[in-house]
Amino acid sequence: MTQGRLVFLICFAEILSMTGTMYFPALLPSFQVEWGLTNTAAGWVNGVFFAGYAIASPVLVSFTDRVPAHRIYLPSALLAALAMLLFGWLAEGTWTASALRLLAGIGLAGTYMPGLKALSDNLSGPGQSRHIVYYTASYGVGTALSVYLAGLLEPVTGWRVGAELLALGPLCALLIFAAVVPPGKPAGSGPGLHVSRNDLRIVLGNRPVVGYILGYGSHNWELFGYRSWLVAFLAYSLSLHPGFTPSMSPQNVAMLILLAGVPASILGNEGAMAWGRRRALAAYMIGSGLLGCVVGFTAGLHFYLVTALCLVYGMANLFDSGALTAGLIAESPQRQRGLALAIYSFSGFGMAFLAPLAFGAILDAAGRETLAWGFAFAALGLVCLSGALWLRIFRAR
């Protein structure tokens, strides 16, 4: 199989594996009304998905240095499908929804980075960086598709049947990955599943790798805090204009915003290759962080203007996404690459768990008026600004 075809099919499998990832945030306003959720509770259900990812990722991804990615990816895709099916059957409020979203996050942990590891193990040469960015950019396509399908199915089938139907996505991803990815021998440093202290010392002693790990945490705080509350923010802005009927629902607007992040991620990596990775990443993070500090305060403006600002912000917070991951892989020794990706994932998705929860807590504390939305978005932007600082501190000597 040619490299181009392999990259396309692995990216396509990734997109399908993610059909349920944005299901709860896409329908958040409806769930809050039906289940009587506070903003903090809604933030908890949003965030616990990423907690599942953060908990499982260090174990599952580090195993890919020692076992073929198939042994991690295939059962994880099955778990993601099961979690969506059970969500449609059983979810009834904060705690059942949280438990099932936690399982879905574990499923994503066993498919996203192991899929990236399988891709990087089967590619080489100067095109590797671009192929890696295509894979990370496909995450944005998967989230956009998830939001779109949630908004499409819910009024037709109801949210329970919609969740059950979206369980088919991870099952299709499982079949594609099993058929096209060679079950090659990993390049790890020994047999079994044990991660040695020496491997850990090598990864954490690599200053550029540590900089990318901390930068990814800052990036994910902003990115997933924004994505988790985007539909709710658009719905709030629309509620300030009674009588106005937009041409698209908040879910469809959010879908377009998420899709716009795909070329932004690819272009961001191209800029990093042309201008210098760390210099470009610092510029991206500073620009996105500053925009985050102001966008929430604009909810009362015309809905189309708010939509345009959210579109720009959605692109800004993805310029650094692919460049960060490509930088980490370029700096990581191949024998410890799975472990480096595991720590990278834990940092990023640990912050992704905390951000939606903090966002909801700020809304509850400040009364969910426009000022409250402004403060919540500013909390995302300020942490993103710190990413540029981490990249500067942890440079190669």
Side-chain angles (χ1 to χ4, degrees):
M1 184 180 295
T2 64
Q3 281 196 355
R5 184 176 297 176
L6 179 66
V7 171
F8 171 78
L9 289 173
I10 293 178
C11 291
F12 186 52
E14 181 204 355
I15 292 167
L16 292 176
S17 74
M18 297 179 61
T19 52
T21 56
M22 293 292 290
Y23 195 74
F24 182 81
L27 302 179
L28 178 56
S30 298
F31 285 125
Q32 283 194 280
V33 172
E34 182 172 340
W35 292 342
L37 300 179
T38 65
N39 296 307
T40 303
W44 171 262
V45 179
N46 266 323
V48 79
F49 174 84
F50 303 111
Y53 187 107
I55 292 167
S57 182
V59 179
L60 298 178
V61 183
S62 61
F63 285 174
T64 61
D65 282 332
R66 288 160 175 78
V67 301
H70 283 70
R71 290 175 58 183
I72 307 299
Y73 189 101
L74 301 184
S76 298
L78 186 61
L79 178 62
L82 181 62
M84 279 304 296
L85 187 65
L86 292 177
F87 190 91
W89 284 354
L90 303 175
E92 278 294 355
T94 303
W95 299 113
T96 51
S98 295
L100 295 169
R101 292 295 287 170
L102 182 76
L103 288 180
I106 295 171
L108 180 62
T111 55
Y112 180 53
M113 284 297 178
L116 176 59
K117 179 66 163 51
L119 185 71
S120 65
D121 283 347
N122 286 282
L123 298 175
S124 60
Q128 187 189 56
S129 176
R130 287 190 175 92
H131 291 147
I132 289 168
V133 172
Y134 295 154
Y135 182 87
T136 58
S138 296
Y139 190 105
V141 179
T143 56
L145 179 64
S146 181
V147 170
Y148 174 73
L149 291 176
L152 178 70
L153 292 172
E154 193 268 341
V156 177
T157 66
W159 68 264
R160 291 192 182 276
V161 175
E164 294 163 4
L165 289 174
L166 292 186
L168 295 173
L171 291 179
C172 293
L174 184 157
L175 296 175
I176 293 171
F177 195 90
V180 306
V181 177
K185 183 179 179 181
S189 54
L193 301 180
H194 176 65
V195 175
S196 72
R197 291 183 180 179
N198 187 57
D199 290 331
L200 193 61
R201 190 180 302 115
I202 290 171
V203 172
L204 296 182
N206 186 323
R207 291 178 61 83
V209 166
V210 172
Y212 287 121
I213 288 170
L214 295 176
Y216 189 59
S218 303
H219 160 76
N220 272 17
W221 169 280
E222 180 186 48
L223 178 64
F224 290 103
Y226 176 59
R227 285 181 170 179
S228 295
W229 286 95
L230 173 58
V231 173
F233 176 67
L234 292 171
Y236 170 74
S237 176
L238 187 58
S239 72
L240 299 179
H241 305 283
F244 174 73
T245 303
S247 57
M248 292 189 295
S249 68
Q251 285 89 356
N252 286 346
V253 172
M255 176 201 67
L256 294 178
I257 290 171
L258 296 177
L259 280 178
V262 175
S265 180
I266 295 171
L267 290 173
N269 185 64
E270 294 294 323
M273 293 170 66
W275 306 323
R277 191 172 304 278
R278 287 175 177 271
R279 180 186 304 170
L281 283 170
Y284 299 155
M285 288 180 160
I286 291 171
S288 182
L290 292 176
L291 188 56
C293 288
V294 300
V295 70
F297 294 104
T298 67
L301 300 179
H302 193 281
F303 182 72
Y304 286 147
L305 180 55
V306 173
T307 297
L309 290 171
C310 286
L311 175 66
V312 174
Y313 185 46
M315 296 179 68
N317 61 38
L318 272 167
F319 278 127
D320 54 356
S321 180
L324 282 166
T325 305
L328 178 95
I329 289 177
E331 297 286 354
S332 302
Q334 187 175 12
R335 292 168 68 88
Q336 288 85 24
R337 186 171 293 162
L339 178 59
L341 284 169
I343 300 171
Y344 182 77
S345 296
F346 179 76
S347 168
F349 285 87
M351 294 292 277
F353 157 59
L354 295 172
L357 180 59
F359 198 110
I362 292 171
L363 288 182
D364 278 338
R368 203 174 178 180
E369 300 298 332
T370 298
L371 280 178
W373 286 99
F375 294 145
F377 272 99
L380 303 182
L382 290 172
V383 174
C384 181
L385 288 171
S386 72
L389 180 63
W390 297 126
L391 289 170
R392 181 170 181 81
I393 292 173
F394 290 95
R395 293 177 295 175
R397 286 172 176 159

